[in-house]
Amino acid sequence: MKQYAYYPGCSLESMAASYNTSSKEVARKLGLDFEELDDWNCCGATAYFHIDEILATTLCARNLAMAEKLKRDIVAPCSGCFKNLYFANEHLKHEPDLAEHVNFALDEDNLEYSGTGNVRHVLEVLLEDVGIKKIKRRVSHPLEGLRVAPYYGCQIVRPRKNGEDVENPRFFEELVAATGATAVDYPGRLRCCGASLIITSRPAAFSMVRNLLQGAVDAKADLIATACPLCQINLECYQSAVNREFDTDFKVPIVYFTQLLGMALGLAPKEVGIGKEFVAPTRALECAKRRPAALADRK
């Protein structure tokens, strides 16, 4: 069983608890050991890197150094945390002066960053270390008939790795298809959800959220699947505000991809944190309750 240093990040400890739960349960089902990094700290989110780059990088480096000490890759479900940790790791590897400043600070905590570890997103681990074929074989409750709009957001594809196609990625669609669901053609899949503009410029953010919701409706999607807590919050929690602003009537369920995958793997909805949504993913629940398919037929 391959072991990873699991980094939940601040959001998964609170508003995105269902993402935390479902990520761990899916990992367990697929034979992955996600051991939470002991005494992890905030990655600095987005804003801190524009205020003090060295201190923000040091926050990330502390988590990286602790994972290195365990000789494990660090795995982050949150796309924002993944991006921050990934870029901090890359900058430190190629900027000796920055690494020297950071290690001076880490020495106070008896830690040292050496650049030997990797930063992975949960999606990446599932696709590369488990693989689509194995995931398909483990699916016992295929979500057949469910139409899913896979929403990448703008963070997860920012690190360009190993020649990835960041303009037209298809890995999210592949994972959705592995669950038995249909990944619809969703034109807004790489667009920003408005992020923290919700705080500073609501009209602009609401317009972005409206466009994403309308895109899912136009594609006749039953729900939107996301891999980022902030995207989930903006798309779900502000639907009623968007409806008031634009006189619309959106009722689009927003779930984490790990919740869909977990139910396809036979986990009960409660085991993956389903049940506290503002808009219930009724269609997904109906698919998950169907009689298990014969595994032999899905190989």
Side-chain angles (χ1 to χ4, degrees):
M1 179 181 291
K2 189 168 182 179
Q3 297 178 313
Y4 303 82
Y6 177 74
Y7 176 82
C10 303
S11 295
L12 274 75
E13 291 284 278
S14 52
M15 63 183 183
S18 58
Y19 194 15
N20 194 14
T21 299
S22 56
S23 293
K24 290 178 178 178
E25 287 298 316
V26 164
R28 181 182 60 80
K29 268 283 190 179
L30 294 174
L32 303 173
D33 183 5
F34 281 6
E35 183 177 343
E36 187 168 327
L37 193 63
D38 186 44
D39 198 31
W40 60 266
N41 56 263
C42 177
C43 72
T46 301
Y48 199 25
F49 279 85
H50 298 286
I51 297 171
D52 192 320
E53 184 178 2
I54 292 180
L55 286 179
T57 303
T58 303
L59 284 176
C60 287
R62 182 175 181 273
N63 296 310
L64 296 170
M66 289 191 294
E68 285 181 356
K69 204 170 183 178
L70 297 171
K71 294 181 172 57
R72 298 178 186 176
D73 288 349
I74 189 168
V75 177
C78 171
S79 298
C81 294
F82 163 70
K83 178 184 71 70
N84 285 348
L85 291 167
Y86 181 89
F87 280 125
N89 197 33
E90 289 301 302
H91 291 161
L92 287 165
K93 285 180 180 179
H94 298 98
E95 298 178 31
D97 289 344
L98 178 60
E100 183 179 355
H101 279 88
V102 165
N103 275 325
F104 179 78
L106 293 180
D107 186 59
E108 291 294 316
D109 207 11
N110 295 315
L111 290 170
E112 181 180 7
Y113 170 85
S114 61
T116 58
N118 298 308
V119 178
R120 318 279 302 282
H121 192 279
V122 168
L123 254 172
E124 178 185 359
V125 169
L126 294 176
L127 291 169
E128 295 183 0
D129 296 4
V130 178
I132 290 295
K133 289 184 179 180
K134 181 176 179 180
I135 291 173
K136 284 183 177 179
R137 289 198 299 268
R138 297 296 298 272
V139 167
S140 60
H141 290 65
L143 305 179
E144 293 172 351
L146 183 70
R147 295 176 60 82
V148 178
Y151 180 55
Y152 292 78
C154 62
Q155 302 285 308
I156 195 172
V157 294
R158 283 192 178 183
R160 188 187 292 267
K161 310 189 304 298
N162 303 323
E164 286 179 345
D165 185 352
V166 297
E167 299 297 330
N168 186 32
R170 304 300 300 175
F171 58 84
F172 206 157
E173 285 83 353
E174 290 176 5
L175 190 60
V176 167
T179 69
T182 299
V184 303
D185 184 13
Y186 183 46
R189 64 201 184 110
L190 301 179
R191 296 176 187 169
C192 179
C193 69
S196 55
L197 276 178
I198 286 287
I199 300 172
T200 59
S201 181
R202 287 202 167 198
F206 285 170
S207 179
M208 297 168 82
V209 172
R210 176 197 59 182
N211 291 340
L212 292 171
L213 295 172
Q214 187 62 56
V217 171
D218 292 343
K220 296 181 172 55
D222 295 310
L223 51 80
I224 295 175
T226 185
C228 175
L230 183 54
C231 296
Q232 192 274 340
I233 287 292
N234 283 356
L235 291 173
E236 181 180 52
C237 297
Y238 290 99
Q239 277 196 47
S240 57
V242 168
N243 285 334
R244 290 193 298 270
E245 181 78 12
F246 297 103
D247 194 27
T248 50
D249 188 31
F250 292 121
K251 296 177 183 177
V252 182
I254 314 295
V255 301
Y256 293 108
F257 78 93
T258 45
Q259 293 179 294
L260 292 180
L261 180 54
M263 289 192 290
L265 292 172
L267 291 167
K270 285 187 178 181
E271 291 181 288
V272 292
I274 294 288
K276 297 182 179 179
E277 300 78 20
F278 288 172
V279 182
T282 306
R283 179 68 177 141
L285 292 171
E286 290 173 352
C287 292
K289 288 178 181 177
R290 291 175 183 159
R291 183 172 58 85
L295 293 180
D297 295 338
R298 298 187 55 79
K299 290 184 180 180

